Each structure stands twice: as C-alpha cells, then as structure tokens.
C-alpha cells in the first residue's frame, strides 16, 4: 500500500480503469435521483421516479415475470446442475466422461445469440407456443452449466469416503447423499443457485429469442423503452437491478469465502495436532 | 505338516487347525478386475470367528480392494464371499453386518463426536434412550467422554482416530474392518493403540480384519497373517509360522531380516516324518545339513534361508559335529544398542548378517573388525525354499 502511494503511475491507471468501468454506472444511479425529466440535466434530488415505478403497470408485470422465471429456472438448474456435477465428479465411471466434462463448459463460452437461436429453432420444431415456460426452459438449460461448474469445484474438496462411511454404517445411498454429502456441498449449491438466478435476471438475448406474447421480461421491457428514449424511470429500475445483482454477487462470494475459511481453519488445527 | 508350537503362544486359539470348524468369513476364488488390471486374482481365504486377522503386503498388492469387497464397496468380478454361512457377494454395504474404520477416519465434519458415534445406531431406528446409552458406553470405551460435544476439526489426530474406532464399533458389527488404522499416529501412540485394539477385540469377542503394511504391527496384533503380493495370497499362517517357516523367498524377505544362499541338493534321506537334507552352496563353499519337513530331489536348485539371530559367532570352531559351521572374517559391525549386527565376509566374498545380543558392555566387546571367526547353526535353524 505504501509503495502504491508514491507510485503515481499505478494510481493513475487505477483511477482511469475504474472510472471507465464504473463512471457510467455511477451516472446512471445519480440521475435516477434527478427531479428533472431530462436525463442529462440535473434538476435537484428527488425519489419521485421510484414512486412513479410503482404505477408503471407494464414495468411491474415485467419485474414479476422476470422474478418468476428466475426463481423457477434457477431452482431447476440447481437440481440438474448438481446432479451433473455429482456424476462428473466421479460417481460411477463410464465411457466418455472426459468428453462430457468438457462439454459442460461449452455453453459458458458459446455466444448467447447462438444459444437463443438454437432454443428458438427447437421450440419451433416441436411446435411449442412461446411464453413463460419456454424462457424458463431456455434459462434453465444455460444456467445449469454454471451451477454444474460451481458445484463440481466444491465436490473436488469433498472426501468421498464420508459418503462411504455413511453407507457402511447402514445408511441407504440416497439418504447418505442428503444427510452427509449435501450439507458439505451446500455452500456450493447455494452459490450455484444465486449465480443461476442472477444470470436469468439480466439475460436479454436468450429471453428475446424464446419469449412470446405476454411474456416480456424486465431487460426486454427496458430495452424496448430505451429505444423510444431514456427516461429517469429506466434509471431508477436499473439502479434497483444493480443493487439486487450486487447483493447476489456479494452473497455468492461470502458463501464461498465462508466455506473456504472453514476448510482452512480445520486444516490448521490438523497440522498443529 | 506336523506342527509343534512355534514361538510364544498368545492364547489357545486355533480354529483353523480344526477341519470341522466352519469359517466365519470366506473368500471363494475371488477375482477383481479394474478394466484389464487384475487387482485381486483367484483368491481364496478363510477367516474364523473371533480371529484377529491381518492382511500384510506391499503397496498396491490389493489389500484395500479385498477389504472393500468385504465391506461391499466393490463387487467381485468373479467368485463369491460368505459371511457367517450366508453369501454376501452382492449385498449393498448398508445391509451388511460389517463396519469399517477408514484410513482417513472419514468423520462427518458437520456432526460432533457424539452424533458421529450415534450415526450408525440412528440408521437402525433404535429408541433414543438405547442410542444414548450405547454412545456413552462407546465414549467411555475410547476415553473421550470429555469431548462428546466437539466437532472433528477440534480434535487431535489420536482423538480423531479413537472417534472413528468408536463409531465403527458402536453397532457391534460381526466383523470390524480396519484399513491401516494406525498409519497416521506416531510410534508411541501407535503402540499404545495396538494394545488397546487387542484388549478391545478380546473384550468384544468380534472378528477383526486389519490391513497394514507394517510387518511389526501385523506380528504384534494378529492371530494369523495373510501375506499378499500382486493380488495373490502367498501364505496364511500365525506370526510365528510366517517368521520361522516362510513358504517363499518373498514372504521370508518381507518379514524381518534374513540371509539367502543359493544351493544345490546333494543328499536326502527320510528321517522320522521329515527329511535330512544336505545342500551345497557355491557362495559359502560349504556343505549345509538341514532338517526339513519334506524331501527334495537330488540336484534341485533351492534357496537356503536363515535369520541372522539363528547363527552363533565364535573364535573357535564348535566341536559339536551336528552343527553347520562356516569360516569367515568380521567385515562390519553395526551397534544398535540392544543388539549388534555383524556382517561376516565368507569365503567367496559373500556377506552374511548375524545378530548378537549385547549382553556385555561395549568396551568389553570381544569380537572386533577383521577377526577370523566361525559362524555356526544347527540343522533346524534355517529353511529350504523352492526357487
Ligand atoms: N477404483 C480403481 N480403479 C482402478 N484401479 C484401482 C482401483 N482401486 C484400486 N486399483 C488398483 O488396484 C491395485 C490394488 O489397490 P489397493 O488399493 O487394493 O492396494 P493396497 O494393497 O491397499 O495398497 P496400499 O498399501 O498402497 O494401500 C492398485 O494397483 C490400484 O492402482
Ligand atoms: Mg490400501
């Protein structure tokens, strides 16, 4: 820290980098408290745009749909992703496990537009009317990979002989999973759920491809309004979203950190004994 | 083979000598393959009720695999396993009356000591008062009453090991499996725990199967030892028999120190139940007279094996004509406190090791470097091994 203080170059780069990253967001947040209707002119502090939001039926219903999709898809994705992680982390050997392990990462790097388009083609092919459920299914399928990756890294720390010990003591396999394995990997599973939920909340591309009449998510609603001009109301809703996502990210990192320090403290005691 | 008691007899317990006796655990021609790798190969083994049986062998010889098949975590590729007269080959682990103490202890980190011990009992849906009583009993048994509410990570290595033991004993299994239970403990604690284990086994009258690659531990604890090598059992016998009458060079070499001499059989005549055999060793430039259990073909190449402590060392050639005598020169002396190991160079430059108890003080040691000495041993001191 001391060295940093004297090093003007470091400070300048830090300030520049972070301004570049956060200035737009700060401006957005500040202007959400602007009393003037003009987005670029400061007219004094006010929270009126937040109360105005409460009367914007269109936005409110978009929020409601988005939350519902997020909750349902994150929950399904967590179950499926955890199951995939369990298999890939070594329960049972089978042909081509390495291939599957690699394939689980593919949707993480695949352009969203391709994911969305392929989902759309699938729904068209099976002649599925698009709406709430098609978005939910699409979100489940792409967030599931993130859950699998997060849970898998958690499982790598898990001593499999614990589950064997439980079975040895008379516990049937499924119960052994729920009473022994799950409590151990729970921070990972919760972090996976949070991640899936957050990803679902702010997805625009895949939702646009897979939505239908009556199922407009919040990012879609914002996007379509912005095309007609940015209003302070949009700034307000965005500020709320930023807050929600930030809280989510903080929770995830706390969950992981807590698990990490727990592991470390027990390791220290072990080494000391 | 006609048996005389070998070594100190710990207790009169030898059900394996009774052909009528039903084995308690039986592996019948069990093979386990992982892909094309054969971890356990056509193995048969009988273990008797209340026996303390040790599986001994080098790393990767299949000890853990054998034990995991008994616990139910691996299914044999071929063959059958019986427990108490019932076939258990395909019964899942949670329905076997067998408990295992894991090498890593595998204590449940989110449960305290008490709940760890109670875990198995809870699975049987015993009434709460019974569980409480049994847990208290177990805590007393392993002297951990004061630690009942601690989590595993708040315990020392030795305490954790005792919790693991208590947990695996709580259900009073028919068989207790111990996979290198003492490997992580220091020498002193390990010796104490060995005594505790032996007392426990006597007290609880259970059958114990222990895996170890520490030969001293196996000799110390077990009624019988199975020596394994690459998926096979080479010999099953009491510690005394394994030490005194190893069946192969591998077994002899694996347990304790031993000298080997390559020999040719030059004479053989039957003698009350066994045979009196004469060997010739090029390495020693000597004849060796051996009393063996069964005859050998003249001209056969064999290995003669003799433990260092079975040989005497003296300045004068012993007069007794029934003794084997070898001339040599003291090459090196390793002083170990209670004993010294003498390395004697014999005629062809071959080194023979012999152990002498240090009954006198070091300064008075009569035999020293480069002394010309005689090694002597009687006809029953060593064994003949096929090559
Ligand atoms: N699940 C498995 N898949 C493939 N090979 C295995 C598996 N389990 C064990 N093996 C192999 O089988 C052989 C025997 O293993 P095992 O664990 O029984 O050895 P061990 O005698 O217990 O050795 P150690 O003393 O080192 O514990 C080893 O070569 C091991 O690599
Ligand atoms: Mg092993």
């Amino acid at each position: 820290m001391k060295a940093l203080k004297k090093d003007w170059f470091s400070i300048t780069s830090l300030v520049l980098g972070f301004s570049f990253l956060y200035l737009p967001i700060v401006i957005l947040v500040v202007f959400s408290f602007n009393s003037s209707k003009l987005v670029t002119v400061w007219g004094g502090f006010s929270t009126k745009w937040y109360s105005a939001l409460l009367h914007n039926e269109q936005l409110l219903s978009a929020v409601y749909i988005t939350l519902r999709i997020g909750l349902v898809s994150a929950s399904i994705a967590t179950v499926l992703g955890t199951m995939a992680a369990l298999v890939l982390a070594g329960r049972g050997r089978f042909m081509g496990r390495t291939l599957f392990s690699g394939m689980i990462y593919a949707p993480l790097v695949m352009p969203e537009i391709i994911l969305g388009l392929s989902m759309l083609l699938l729904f068209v092919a099976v002649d599925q009317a698009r709406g709430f459920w098609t978005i939910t299914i699409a979100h489940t399928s792409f967030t599931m990979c993130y859950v699998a990756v997060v849970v898998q890294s958690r499982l790598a720390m898990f001593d499999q002989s614990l589950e064997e010990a439980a079975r040895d003591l008379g516990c049937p396999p499924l119960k052994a999973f729920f009473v022994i394995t799950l409590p151990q990997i729970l921070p990972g599973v919760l972090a996976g759920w949070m991640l899936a939920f957050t990803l679902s909340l702010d997805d625009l591309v895949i939702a646009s491809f897979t939505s239908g009449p009556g199922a407009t998510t919040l990012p879609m609603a914002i996007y379509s309004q912005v095309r007609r001009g940015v209003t302070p109301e949009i700034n307000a809703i965005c500020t709320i979203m930023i807050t929600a996502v930030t809280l989510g990210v903080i929770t995830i990192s706390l969950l992981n950190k807590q698990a990490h320090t727990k592991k470390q403290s027990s390791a220290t005691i072990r080494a000391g004994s | 083979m006609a048996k005389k008691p070998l070594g100190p007899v710990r207790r009169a317990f030898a059900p394996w000598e009774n052909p009528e006796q039903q084995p308690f655990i039986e592996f019948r021609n069990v093979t386990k393959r992982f892909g094309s790798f054969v971890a356990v190969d056509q193995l048969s083994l009988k273990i008797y009720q209340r026996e303390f049986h040790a599986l001994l062998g080098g790393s990767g010889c299949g000890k853990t695999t054998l034990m995991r098949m008994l616990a139910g975590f691996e299914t044999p590729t071929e063959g059958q396993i019986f427990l108490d007269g019932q076939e258990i080959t395909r019964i899942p682990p949670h329905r076997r009356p067998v408990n295992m103490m894991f090498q890593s202890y595998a204590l449940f980190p989110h449960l305290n000591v008490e709940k760890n011990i109670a875990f198995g009992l809870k699975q049987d849906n015993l009434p709460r008062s019974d569980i409480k009583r049994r847990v208290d009993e177990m805590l007393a048994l392993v002297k951990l009453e004061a630690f009942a509410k601690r989590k595993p990570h708040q315990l020392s290595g030795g305490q954790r090991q005792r919790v693991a033991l208590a947990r695996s004993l709580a259900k009073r299994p028919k068989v207790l499996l111990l996979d290198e239970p003492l490997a992580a403990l220091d020498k002193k604690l390990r010796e104490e725990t060995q005594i505790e284990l032996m007392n426990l086994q006597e007290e609880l009258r259970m059958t114990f199967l222990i895996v170890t690659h520490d030969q001293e531990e196996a000799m110390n604890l077990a009624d019988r030892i199975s020596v394994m090598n690459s998926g096979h059992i080479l010999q099953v016998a009491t510690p005394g028999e394994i030490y005194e009458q190893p069946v192969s060079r591998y077994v002899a070499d694996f347990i304790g120190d031993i000298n080997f001499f390559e020999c040719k059989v030059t004479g053989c005549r039957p003698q009350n139940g066994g045979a009196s055999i004469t060997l010739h060793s090029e390495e020693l430039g000597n004849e060796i007279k051996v009393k063996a259990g069964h005859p050998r073909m003249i001209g056969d190449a064999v290995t003669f094996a003799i433990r260092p402590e079975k040989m005497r060392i003296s300045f004068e050639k012993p007069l007794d004509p029934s003794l084997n005598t070898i001339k040599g020169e003291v090459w090196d002396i390793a002083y170990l406190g209670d004993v010294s190991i003498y390395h004697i160079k014999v005629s062809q430059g071959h080194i023979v090791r012999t152990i002498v108890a240090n009954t006198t003080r070091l300064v008075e040691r009569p035999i020293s470097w480069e002394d010309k000495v005689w090694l002597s041993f009687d006809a029953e001191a060593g064994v003949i091994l096929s090559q």
Side-chain angles (χ1 to χ4, degrees):
Chain A
M1 266 302 162
K2 220 172 192 176
L4 204 71
K5 232 173 222 167
K6 289 177 195 147
D7 191 346
W8 285 100
F9 178 74
S10 301
I11 292 187
T12 321
S13 0
L14 212 64
V15 169
L16 274 181
F18 274 81
S19 319
F20 193 62
L21 210 61
Y22 282 100
L23 201 60
I25 295 177
V26 171
I27 291 174
L28 185 145
V29 173
V30 169
F31 276 90
S32 74
F33 295 105
N34 188 3
S35 66
S36 155
K37 201 167 168 61
L38 296 165
V39 191
T40 44
V41 182
W42 184 250
F45 181 85
S46 143
T47 53
K48 69 175 176 190
W49 301 115
Y50 288 88
S51 36
L53 273 182
L54 292 177
H55 305 291
N56 189 333
E57 292 291 328
Q58 214 186 348
L59 271 185
L60 281 185
S61 90
V63 168
Y64 176 63
I65 286 175
T66 308
L67 286 179
R68 262 201 326 168
I69 291 174
L71 284 174
V72 176
S73 73
S75 303
I76 303 175
T78 303
V79 173
L80 295 179
T82 303
M83 277 160 65
L86 283 173
V87 174
L88 294 176
R91 316 276 140 136
R93 290 152 189 279
F94 55 90
M95 288 264 293
R97 195 170 77 187
T98 323
L99 181 69
F100 280 107
S101 299
M103 274 166 67
I104 201 94
Y105 286 96
L108 268 57
V109 291
M110 193 89 76
E112 279 185 331
I113 199 145
I114 293 177
L115 288 175
L117 188 61
S118 59
M119 279 292 169
L120 175 63
L121 289 178
L122 173 74
F123 294 135
V124 171
V126 298
D127 204 14
Q128 167 68 45
R130 289 180 295 287
F132 171 80
W133 279 108
T134 47
I135 305 180
T136 306
I137 290 169
H139 279 185
T140 304
S141 90
F142 96 93
T143 57
M144 184 189 111
C145 319
Y146 291 84
V147 177
V149 170
V150 172
V151 174
Q152 214 179 339
S153 76
R154 199 49 224 178
L155 269 173
M157 291 193 280
F158 175 74
D159 177 9
Q160 290 218 359
S161 65
L162 289 184
E163 206 176 293
E164 284 184 348
R167 286 200 284 147
D168 187 63
L169 291 165
C171 195
L174 198 63
K175 190 178 168 197
F177 170 76
F178 281 108
V179 298
I180 300 298
T181 313
L182 193 57
Q184 293 300 306
I185 61 168
L186 198 60
V189 174
L190 290 180
W193 188 91
M194 267 331 272
L195 188 61
F197 183 69
T198 322
L199 285 168
S200 165
L201 275 197
D202 67 17
D203 165 67
L204 170 65
V205 179
I206 294 174
S208 320
F209 273 102
T210 51
S211 90
T216 306
T217 66
L218 188 57
M220 288 164 69
I222 293 171
Y223 186 68
S224 64
Q225 281 210 5
V226 165
R227 280 197 299 191
R228 278 179 267 131
V230 182
T231 64
E233 231 172 335
I234 295 289
N235 285 347
I237 190 90
C238 286
T239 304
I240 292 174
M241 269 182 81
I242 290 167
T243 315
V245 170
T246 310
L247 286 179
V249 170
I250 290 172
T251 317
I252 293 170
S253 63
L254 281 184
L255 281 172
N256 277 332
K257 197 171 164 190
Q258 176 214 8
H260 193 67
T261 45
K262 224 178 177 175
K263 191 96 188 163
Q264 253 185 354
S265 69
S266 72
T268 337
I269 290 175
R270 201 160 304 166
S273 66
Chain B
M1 210 195 311
K3 284 223 181 78
K4 53 180 179 179
L6 288 159
V9 178
R10 188 148 62 206
R11 56 190 140 133
F13 176 73
W16 47 88
E17 283 177 1
N18 176 5
E20 306 276 282
Q21 184 73 43
Q22 286 300 311
F24 194 57
I25 303 167
E26 183 177 359
F27 290 88
R28 210 178 278 173
N29 289 320
V30 171
T31 298
K32 176 70 191 177
R33 285 192 212 98
F34 293 108
S36 61
F37 178 80
V38 185
V40 171
D41 194 4
Q42 287 283 318
L43 181 144
S44 294
L45 174 63
K46 290 176 183 170
I47 298 171
Y48 295 85
Q49 190 148 27
R50 289 179 43 216
E51 183 180 343
F52 202 138
H53 196 99
L55 294 175
L56 184 61
S59 197
C61 69
K63 306 181 295 289
T64 300
T65 307
L66 196 63
M67 186 166 266
R68 287 172 61 81
M69 285 195 284
L70 189 53
F73 297 123
E74 307 282 359
T75 321
T77 319
E78 283 158 30
Q80 294 161 297
I81 304 173
F82 295 86
L83 174 65
D84 204 4
Q86 263 190 319
E87 189 182 344
I88 56 161
T89 318
R90 270 157 224 291
I91 293 178
H94 61 281
R95 287 207 228 105
R96 295 189 186 204
V98 168
N99 283 150
M100 181 156 170
M101 184 180 150
F102 288 75
Q103 187 170 357
S104 61
Y105 305 150
L107 297 178
F108 306 130
H110 58 299
L111 303 181
N112 64 22
V113 169
E114 210 171 48
K115 294 209 170 105
N116 261 284
I117 297 176
F119 188 88
L121 301 167
K122 279 198 185 130
Q123 307 310 315
D124 290 352
N125 294 319
L126 291 180
R128 207 177 260 168
S129 56
D130 285 11
I131 294 181
K132 175 93 179 74
R133 190 156 35 77
R134 192 79 75 81
V135 168
D136 289 344
E137 227 173 271
M138 285 299 138
L139 283 171
L141 191 71
V142 295
K143 302 185 197 77
L144 283 175
E145 294 100 325
F147 300 89
K149 301 287 180 213
R150 294 241 192 129
K151 290 276 181 70
H153 68 86
Q154 297 165 321
L155 298 174
S156 77
Q159 289 164 343
R160 247 180 257 147
Q161 179 257 339
R162 298 211 310 272
V163 178
L165 184 62
R167 188 180 69 179
S168 54
L169 284 171
K171 292 186 80 173
R172 305 237 173 91
K174 286 184 176 169
V175 181
L176 179 68
L177 306 177
L178 303 133
D179 191 357
E180 307 206 17
L182 313 180
L185 304 182
D186 64 52
K187 193 169 184 307
K188 192 162 167 294
L189 197 54
R190 190 156 66 212
E191 279 164 7
E192 281 172 21
T193 318
Q194 282 175 8
I195 294 171
E196 272 173 41
L197 272 182
M198 269 158 38
N199 292 340
L200 264 177
Q201 198 249 353
E202 209 117 309
E203 200 178 308
L204 302 171
R205 310 184 136 244
M206 281 179 198
T207 308
F208 277 30
L209 178 60
I210 187 170
V211 162
T212 173
H213 52 221
D214 177 348
Q215 44 132 331
E216 250 176 68
E217 188 170 290
M219 304 270 288
N220 198 357
L221 289 172
D223 293 314
R224 283 195 309 160
I225 298 175
S226 292
V227 181
M228 289 185 70
N229 186 28
S230 55
H232 295 272
I233 289 185
L234 302 177
Q235 186 170 12
V236 187
T238 62
E241 281 171 324
I242 296 245
Y243 190 77
E244 303 288 353
Q245 293 171 358
V247 294
S248 72
R249 199 171 163 146
Y250 183 89
V251 175
D253 207 16
F254 195 79
I255 292 174
D257 193 11
I258 198 156
N259 295 294
F260 293 114
F261 307 115
E262 305 310 324
C263 299
K264 266 210 157 47
V265 180
T266 53
C268 176
R269 65 190 161 76
Q271 192 193 41
N272 48 22
S276 175
I277 296 172
T278 327
L279 304 173
H280 178 77
S281 162
E282 283 292 326
E283 294 163 331
L284 294 175
N286 247 71
E287 294 287 312
I288 304 173
K289 301 180 283 272
V290 188
K291 246 189 224 154
H294 53 94
R296 298 273 172 177
M297 292 289 285
I298 292 185
D300 271 4
V302 293
T303 301
F304 177 70
I306 184 165
R307 304 260 177 214
E309 74 280 5
K310 296 281 191 292
M311 291 186 277
R312 286 284 108 64
I313 180 169
S314 57
F315 284 119
E316 307 289 325
K317 181 172 178 172
L319 296 173
D320 186 348
S322 69
L323 289 179
N324 291 297
T325 53
I326 302 166
K327 209 167 107 185
E329 183 187 322
V330 179
W331 180 252
D332 197 9
I333 306 171
Y335 178 71
L336 299 181
D338 51 348
V339 295
S340 291
I341 298 175
Y342 282 73
H343 295 248
I344 311 292
K345 193 159 114 183
V346 294
S347 66
Q348 304 289 311
H350 202 75
I351 301 285
V352 179
R353 289 181 308 282
T354 174
I355 288 182
V356 177
N358 291 324
T359 48
T360 55
R361 301 274 309 278
L362 188 60
V363 281
E364 299 155 5
R365 188 170 53 207
I367 299 174
S368 187
W369 276 267
E370 294 180 15
D371 283 348
K372 302 269 185 271
V373 292
W374 287 88
L375 288 169
S376 57
F377 52 91
D378 64 34
E380 287 179 315
V383 290
I384 298 174
L385 307 172
S386 305
Q387 282 176 331

